[in-house]
Amino acid sequence: MQIFPAIDIKDGQAVRLFKGDFAQKTVVNPDVLDQARTFAAVGMTFIHVVDLDGALTGQVVNRDLIARLKAETGLGIQVGGGIRTLEQIRDYLQVGVDRVIIGSMAVKAPDFVAEALATFGPDRIMVGIDAKDGFVATEGWLETSNIDFVTLAKSMADRGVQHLIYTDVARDGTLTGPNFDHYERLIAELPQVQIIASGGIADVSDLERLAELGVAGTIVGKAYYQGRISLDQFKAFGG
């Protein structure tokens, strides 16, 4: 299981949210580049980056900063937030981003995902599914659809998605543990898809249980920033 340290960017700073609430924002490092260098210095190889400003506006607000992260650290980067067009995806890939995450558009325009896969390949395109009470949330988690998370996941797999990030919004930033039942369902229903867990990770025991379930990777944010999981423990699972 691969560990993806998380850097969420709001107003040019690395922050963490509580249950996706932009009003409950905590700055964890005002210098995003410094935070990325910290991960690179201990040998982590891949980070998970979210442009929170982009998620709200539908624009790649922090594109230049994310391009600098890649250029100055050499880390593998998967990035989401505000991805609405093929041109945005192409630009991110051209500045060195390794994978681009499609979120809201997977619900609003699922054929866009198929077009992105056909254009850039399944190794470069990920889909992020965020859910509240099992129903898919969009627009930076401000709206909730009537689509069940498993239904959307199956639809994405049918279109050729091979990398899927799943977040239970109610767990994100809470340190209350992941929604293990949801990951069990996804792994059982979509054995051909690489499932990446996100949200609620509290300690190493959560990582151990997710590894036992068979997720391909786990994104860790608040548990690291609050000192509950160390960089050495990250490395024990794989960077």
Side-chain angles (χ1 to χ4, degrees):
M1 181 179 76
Q2 185 168 13
I3 302 296
F4 299 94
I7 297 179
D8 292 355
I9 303 174
K10 182 78 174 67
D11 301 322
Q13 300 176 311
V15 307
R16 298 305 301 164
L17 304 181
F18 181 79
K19 295 186 178 181
D21 184 352
F22 285 83
Q24 298 189 63
K25 177 188 77 173
T26 301
V27 176
V28 295
N29 193 330
D31 188 332
V32 172
L33 283 164
D34 174 70
Q35 188 58 60
R37 292 189 188 104
T38 296
F39 292 136
V42 298
M44 302 303 291
T45 60
F46 227 102
I47 59 174
H48 175 81
V49 179
V50 178
D51 180 351
L52 292 174
D53 299 294
L56 286 173
T57 65
Q59 304 294 322
V60 285
V61 177
N62 291 292
R63 176 265 192 199
D64 291 348
L65 178 54
I66 293 166
R68 285 188 64 196
L69 287 181
K70 181 65 181 184
E72 296 185 24
T73 70
L75 286 164
I77 295 178
Q78 58 194 33
V79 64
I83 307 300
R84 302 287 189 272
T85 69
L86 293 180
E87 289 71 25
Q88 289 170 325
I89 296 173
R90 183 175 291 106
D91 180 61
Y92 265 136
L93 296 177
Q94 286 177 343
V95 298
V97 166
D98 299 87
R99 299 175 187 156
V100 176
I101 305 160
I102 298 173
S104 298
M105 290 293 284
V107 179
K108 297 188 170 186
D111 287 343
F112 171 74
V113 176
E115 189 175 3
L117 291 166
T119 304
F120 304 109
D123 289 335
R124 310 303 296 278
I125 301 298
M126 311 178 81
V127 165
I129 296 179
D130 306 323
K132 294 180 178 180
D133 300 319
F135 292 96
V136 177
T138 62
E139 305 304 318
W141 299 348
L142 298 178
E143 299 178 12
T144 304
S145 71
N146 59 358
I147 301 173
D148 174 84
F149 74 99
V150 174
T151 299
L152 180 61
K154 287 182 175 179
S155 172
M156 293 297 101
D158 288 344
R159 286 172 167 80
V161 169
Q162 295 180 7
H163 302 276
L164 180 70
I165 300 169
Y166 177 71
T167 305
D168 182 339
V169 175
R171 306 293 183 103
D172 192 70
T174 66
L175 300 172
T176 56
N179 192 325
F180 294 108
D181 291 343
H182 284 192
Y183 293 112
E184 285 186 295
R185 286 184 63 189
L186 289 169
I187 290 166
E189 297 277 0
L190 303 166
Q192 76 279 26
V193 176
Q194 299 286 297
I195 304 296
I196 296 174
S198 173
I201 310 300
D203 52 37
V204 172
S205 67
D206 288 335
L207 298 180
E208 291 170 346
R209 185 171 174 189
L210 287 168
E212 290 171 0
L213 287 179
V215 300
T218 300
I219 296 163
V220 184
K222 193 170 187 177
Y224 160 72
Y225 290 110
Q226 290 201 351
R228 290 169 173 252
I229 302 177
S230 70
L231 292 175
D232 286 342
Q233 289 170 320
F234 278 177
K235 290 298 294 178
F237 285 90

